[in-house]
Amino acid sequence: MLTINLIREQASSVIERLKIKNFDATEIVGNVLDLDRRRRELQTESDSIQAELNSLSREIGSMMKEGRKDEAEAARRGIGAMKDKQKQLADTLEEVTRKMQDELVRLPNLPHTLVTPGRSAEENVVVRSGGVVPELHAGAVPHWDLIKKYDIIDFDLGIKITGAGFPVYKGKGARLQRALINFFLDEGEKAGYREIEPPIVVNEDSGFGTGQLPDKEGQMYHVGIDNLYMIPTAEVPITNIYRDVILDAAELPVRNMGYTPCFRREAGSWGAHVRGLNRLHQFDKVEIVQIAHPDRSYDSLEEMVSHVESLLVKLELPYRIVRLCGGDMSFTSAMTYDFEVWSAAQQRWLEVSSTSNFEAFQANRLKCRFREKGAKQTTLCHTLNGSALALPRIVAALLENNQTPEGIKMPAILVPYTGFALIS
RNA sequence: GGAGAAAUGGCAGAGUGGUCGAUUGCGGCGGUCUUGAAAACCGUUGUCCGGGCGACUGGACCGGGGGUUCGAAUCCCUCUUUCUCCGCCA
């Protein structure tokens, strides 16, 4: 959510910058400004009547104390009309404030000035790439065939137990999951992230704090009986640690990470290109989260990008890093880097990480602030997060790119974690 | 799941209808003293929204929401959470 101050002070620049995201904000900004003006007028009026009521009540109090009962009674009778007026003003104020909030949450975050315009993923900017695209042997197949051949991931069993999109990992397949999770967490710890094991269901306040609610309600599994949501990413619980928190500037940046399963309903997104591990309802992911000082949040973003990149290098996967164009960015992001690995058997890039700076957009909802030493005022923090990494497509790429007639070779870095060098 | 008790500022803990945003202690910050530190003493110390160039000033908040009243931290309703006892249990 953008701050009202920003809109009040820089309305035209807000509208201009949102055009990069192909969003016409003219009408909403106009409504917000009107409602804001209205809100402040109402508050001024309401406050002054309330002040008068408060002072009258105090007078009545002292009259009672001094035993001037008749005077008190008279004053009491005169107050009714003023009370009604105040009640009405307060109600209107509440309604106008709520309307303004409703408008405000419809505005996407402003893209950073480096973000280029564009309509779709084709217009994303490739920042750099690395790794070597492998030459596959004749008869190489996509991962959905490999997992059957070696009996390491079973979709049919998942369908039996739960439903489509809930795979069962078996034997070396399960061991590979655990190996990757441990590898990612160990690397994260070396990079200065504190490990968190959060709850994987969250309440409504948390869903609102990171922006999943109310908009993306349908994307989350909802446990109706207790009104809890299954997390779509560890970003939700880990970022919400800092909801309603005021940090010291010296603590920034805060670096946390966590492994969790992630649950996504992915309503309506099934079809071609989502076969096998490419899109699931439940998957594993290690997420890194930073809370940063606004002046240094882009340093944090670069640091996170380097960290994610180092993981792909160590896993010896061919990858590229793209900076999303305005049209491909999420509602909440100010700048996003996507990481894609080359899937040799599918002959396409698979997105394995999305690393973003949300600036103060999320922090404003979360009320996550910091205070400079000695300062009276608080300022909104910047929040950032990135996948480091999501497992399924990494597994898909590892299986496909490393397949040989003898079996699937594990990258050297993983062998101590898996306990085997070959899936055969 | 059953019965009872409770929820107040960073923490501890007063306050049961009338200048209470809230006594006090601890912690934090600033100062005096000291070569420095400690101790002692003095001062200061919540958040949010308005008005004002500013000095300053109005309002809200005592777990959340609603109600009674001229007036609510204090009374009533409701939800949530915590604690104690019983039951169950990885």
Side-chain angles (χ1 to χ4, degrees):
Chain A
M1 188 165 68
L2 296 175
T3 62
I4 181 64
N5 286 339
L6 180 74
I7 294 169
R8 209 185 283 155
E9 286 156 23
Q10 303 178 35
S12 58
S13 128
V14 165
I15 292 171
E16 214 42 50
R17 286 176 66 186
L18 283 179
K19 284 182 183 162
I20 298 283
K21 280 194 171 180
N22 307 315
F23 189 92
D24 183 2
T26 319
E27 193 188 324
I28 298 179
V29 167
N31 291 345
V32 167
L33 289 175
D34 284 346
L35 289 162
D36 180 48
R37 211 172 296 121
R38 189 83 200 292
R39 180 187 125 248
R40 285 145 73 201
E41 283 165 10
L42 282 164
Q43 191 181 335
T44 305
E45 199 179 345
S46 158
D47 280 1
S48 74
I49 294 180
Q50 186 62 55
E52 207 173 328
L53 281 167
N54 287 346
S55 92
L56 281 172
S57 289
R58 252 173 266 137
E59 278 176 40
I60 292 174
S62 52
M63 285 177 198
M64 301 287 260
K65 238 182 210 167
E66 292 163 21
R68 294 183 283 158
K69 283 231 163 73
D70 295 346
E71 284 178 64
E73 195 56 35
R76 188 138 57 110
R77 253 176 268 124
I79 259 171
M82 208 191 287
K83 260 189 88 178
D84 292 346
K85 179 89 191 286
Q86 156 61 15
K87 172 94 174 105
Q88 192 198 329
L89 279 168
D91 288 349
T92 317
L93 174 61
E94 200 183 312
E95 191 193 327
V96 168
T97 305
R98 188 181 46 75
K99 276 187 185 158
M100 189 183 81
Q101 287 300 93
D102 289 350
E103 289 292 306
L104 221 41
V105 297
R106 289 170 60 205
L107 289 173
N109 198 5
L110 302 184
H112 186 273
T113 48
L114 273 177
V115 171
T116 49
R119 294 243 149 230
S120 70
E122 276 81 67
E123 291 171 82
N124 293 339
V125 180
V126 178
V127 178
R128 60 180 177 271
S129 51
V132 181
V133 175
E135 293 280 332
L136 295 189
H137 63 91
V141 293
H143 70 269
W144 48 83
D145 291 330
L146 292 167
I147 60 173
K148 277 190 181 153
K149 179 174 176 188
Y150 297 110
D151 194 26
I152 49 174
I153 303 175
D154 194 327
F155 281 96
D156 295 332
L157 204 46
I159 288 166
K160 174 185 171 186
I161 299 169
T162 306
F166 292 91
V168 176
Y169 302 86
K170 302 194 287 194
K172 284 184 174 172
R175 181 81 189 234
L176 176 57
Q177 294 289 113
R178 191 151 56 86
L180 284 166
I181 292 163
N182 283 333
F183 168 64
F184 293 148
L185 288 172
D186 285 354
E187 293 296 312
E189 190 171 349
K190 283 184 217 158
Y193 292 88
R194 177 178 62 159
E195 184 174 348
I196 301 287
E197 185 178 308
I200 59 173
V201 290
V202 296
N203 59 28
E204 260 181 292
D205 285 345
S206 293
F208 179 82
T210 31
Q212 280 72 28
L213 294 175
D215 297 350
K216 295 171 206 147
E217 172 120 41
Q219 287 296 321
M220 285 190 290
Y221 288 96
H222 183 215
V223 185
I225 193 167
D226 291 312
N227 195 26
L228 296 172
Y229 294 87
M230 297 175 75
I231 58 170
T233 158
E235 164 199 345
V236 178
I238 293 179
T239 311
N240 269 284
I241 292 173
Y242 298 92
R243 169 153 53 85
D244 290 320
V245 166
I246 299 173
L247 294 153
D248 288 333
E251 298 176 69
L252 303 174
V254 175
R255 296 182 185 85
N256 284 306
M257 67 169 170
Y259 151 70
T260 66
C262 302
F263 302 90
R264 298 187 183 180
R265 296 189 60 233
E266 302 289 0
S269 65
W270 296 86
H273 277 173
V274 294
R275 237 184 126 173
L277 294 168
N278 290 351
R279 179 152 290 158
L280 301 172
H281 285 313
Q282 177 181 334
F283 63 96
D284 293 309
K285 179 160 63 66
V286 172
E287 183 81 2
I288 53 176
V289 175
Q290 289 206 25
I291 312 287
H293 190 289
D295 295 345
R296 291 182 291 277
S297 65
Y298 281 91
D299 296 340
S300 285
L301 183 62
E302 289 310 314
E303 183 192 300
M304 291 166 78
V305 165
S306 304
H307 175 66
V308 175
E309 184 174 15
S310 77
L311 298 176
L312 296 173
V313 169
K314 285 174 184 164
L315 290 173
E316 302 168 52
L317 288 168
Y319 67 91
R320 66 177 191 184
I321 306 174
V322 301
R323 184 164 55 230
L324 299 192
C325 70
D328 202 27
M329 279 170 81
S330 75
F331 189 81
T332 46
S333 174
M335 189 187 284
T336 296
Y337 289 99
D338 269 7
F339 291 72
E340 301 174 333
V341 295
W342 181 252
S343 167
Q346 296 181 64
Q347 289 287 300
R348 56 186 283 246
W349 292 102
L350 299 177
E351 182 194 329
V352 294
S353 173
S354 193
T355 300
S356 308
N357 188 353
F358 303 98
E359 298 191 2
F361 194 80
Q362 239 176 15
N364 190 32
R365 283 186 162 217
L366 290 161
K367 296 197 173 42
C368 171
R369 294 155 290 170
F370 72 96
R371 200 194 320 265
E372 301 282 1
K373 191 175 163 58
K376 189 114 182 100
Q377 266 203 321
T378 60
T379 312
L380 290 172
C381 298
H382 282 189
T383 64
L384 305 93
N385 65 54
S387 352
L389 288 161
L391 268 69
R393 294 175 193 160
I394 290 288
V395 170
L398 284 175
L399 298 180
E400 291 179 7
N401 292 1
N402 298 335
Q403 60 183 302
T404 68
E406 294 74 43
I408 298 159
K409 287 198 293 195
M410 292 292 105
I413 193 98
L414 274 188
V415 175
Y417 288 94
T418 55
F420 55 81
L422 190 74
I423 297 175
S424 56

